[in-house]
Amino acid sequence: MAEEKKNSTRKKTSSKTTKKGSANSTTKKSSSNVTIKKVTTVPKKSSSKISTKKVTSVSNKNEPKKKIEKKVLQEVVSPTLELKEPERKVPLLNEIEGKKVGEYKNYLLAFAIFIVIVLGTIFGLQIFKNYQEKMYLKGYFKQEKTDVTILSYDNVANVLASTKGNAFFFFHYRENEDTYQLEKEIYQVVTDFHLADFFYYVDLTDMVTADCDRICQVNRLFPEANVSHVPAILFYQNQRLIHTVMREDQAMLKASDFAHVLDMYEFKK
């Protein structure tokens, strides 16, 4: 009985211990479960919350960035699209040849206009030159039809014999611009000193012969004048030679020489 009691007590103690062990194991299990739950659930919740916050925050932050990026892309892309050159078509051979023909025609037209201008200028200058030569050969007194009396060589002696008072005989010839200009300047002196009524122009242009030149012709008509150069002006007063106006240096007579002689003899303007 005592043994049975001992055994029963042992069984009880063992059952208690087993219960305690099981309780411990359950507590251990429960504690392990609690720890596992803490480990598994808490990080998951915290991670999920953190991750959702991050995602939401990132998404919230990225949304304006995306909008800004879209605007930037639109501003950047749109001018590039506007600056794009239109596609160039490859010119056909006919178009190229047409352009070359057009340019060639333009060159020909410009060259033709240039030639016309040059020829027109040359032609105009030639006409003007011919007109001047004819004018010079005609002489100023004949060209302008002045109030000065023009005498032929054969009538000079008769006019001198019939004149009383002052008489000026201008022996000259028609040849070039210098002779034309001299006639013009002499006529100006004649008008300034009021000599037109007794100033005579004697033309020696056609008075040159094989044995007598122009100077010889004047000296034949007026031997007392002793002319050594033509043009010359003979100043007569009452059919008497007063002065021979000519250059001693064989140069062309000047209107100032004639004006100087008039001043010397006190002719008034």
Side-chain angles (χ1 to χ4, degrees):
M1 289 297 286
E3 287 179 3
E4 286 176 359
K5 284 180 184 180
K6 286 179 184 180
N7 288 327
S8 64
T9 53
R10 286 178 186 175
K11 284 180 183 179
K12 284 179 183 180
T13 53
S14 62
S15 64
K16 284 180 183 180
T17 53
T18 52
K19 282 181 184 178
K20 285 180 183 179
S22 62
N24 289 328
S25 63
T26 53
T27 53
K28 284 181 184 179
K29 283 180 183 180
S30 62
S31 64
S32 62
N33 288 330
V34 170
T35 53
I36 288 167
K37 282 180 183 179
K38 285 181 182 179
V39 171
T40 53
T41 57
V42 172
K44 279 183 182 179
K45 285 180 182 179
S46 61
S47 63
S48 63
K49 285 180 183 178
I50 291 165
S51 62
T52 52
K53 284 182 182 178
K54 285 183 179 180
V55 169
T56 53
S57 64
V58 169
S59 63
N60 291 328
K61 287 181 182 179
N62 286 334
E63 280 177 1
K65 283 186 179 180
K66 285 180 181 179
K67 288 180 182 178
I68 293 167
E69 286 177 357
K70 283 181 182 180
K71 287 182 181 179
V72 172
L73 285 173
Q74 286 176 358
E75 291 177 358
V76 172
V77 171
S78 59
T80 54
L81 291 172
E82 289 176 0
L83 292 173
K84 280 185 180 179
E85 294 182 356
E87 294 182 358
R88 294 182 180 178
K89 295 181 180 179
V90 179
L92 299 174
L93 291 174
N94 293 331
E95 292 180 358
I96 295 170
E97 290 177 358
K99 287 181 180 179
K100 287 182 178 179
V101 170
E103 290 177 357
Y104 182 70
K105 286 181 179 179
N106 291 333
Y107 290 141
L108 283 179
L109 181 61
F111 181 73
I113 292 170
F114 175 75
I115 293 295
V116 169
I117 292 171
V118 171
L119 293 176
T121 304
I122 293 170
F123 185 69
L125 290 174
Q126 189 63 38
I127 291 173
F128 182 70
K129 186 179 179 181
N130 292 337
Y131 170 76
Q132 282 186 323
E133 288 177 354
K134 289 179 181 179
M135 183 178 67
Y136 298 151
L137 290 174
K138 192 173 183 179
Y140 181 79
F141 289 108
K142 292 182 178 180
Q143 176 74 24
E144 300 299 327
K145 296 179 180 180
T146 63
D147 52 353
V148 171
T149 304
I150 299 173
L151 292 178
S152 65
Y153 178 81
D154 298 331
N155 290 329
V156 174
N158 296 329
V159 171
L160 180 61
S162 63
T163 58
K164 293 178 181 181
N166 299 323
F168 294 91
F169 296 93
F170 178 36
F171 292 92
H172 193 40
Y173 56 92
R174 296 171 283 109
E175 186 175 77
N176 52 31
E177 184 178 1
D178 293 334
T179 59
Y180 182 89
Q181 192 66 28
L182 176 61
E183 290 182 3
K184 184 177 180 180
E185 292 173 358
I186 291 292
Y187 179 72
Q188 186 62 47
V189 175
V190 169
T191 55
D192 290 342
F193 285 89
H194 311 288
L195 307 175
D197 293 337
F198 43 90
F199 188 89
Y200 303 95
Y201 173 75
V202 183
D203 188 10
L204 299 176
T205 303
D206 301 325
M207 294 303 299
V208 178
T209 60
D211 59 342
C212 191
D213 60 5
R214 296 185 180 106
I215 297 171
C216 174
Q217 296 291 346
V218 175
N219 288 327
R220 269 184 187 178
L221 192 61
F222 301 105
E224 70 276 13
N226 193 20
V227 174
S228 61
H229 191 65
V230 175
I233 299 173
L234 304 182
F235 171 38
Y236 279 83
Q237 194 173 49
N238 296 323
Q239 300 178 5
R240 186 172 64 89
L241 181 64
I242 302 298
H243 197 95
T244 301
V245 185
M246 63 180 180
R247 294 293 296 259
E248 296 295 336
D249 56 358
Q250 302 298 312
M252 176 74 76
L253 180 69
K254 293 181 180 179
S256 59
D257 300 329
F258 183 38
H260 176 70
V261 172
L262 293 174
D263 289 333
M264 187 172 60
Y265 288 98
E266 297 182 351
F267 283 87
K268 302 298 181 181
K269 289 184 179 180

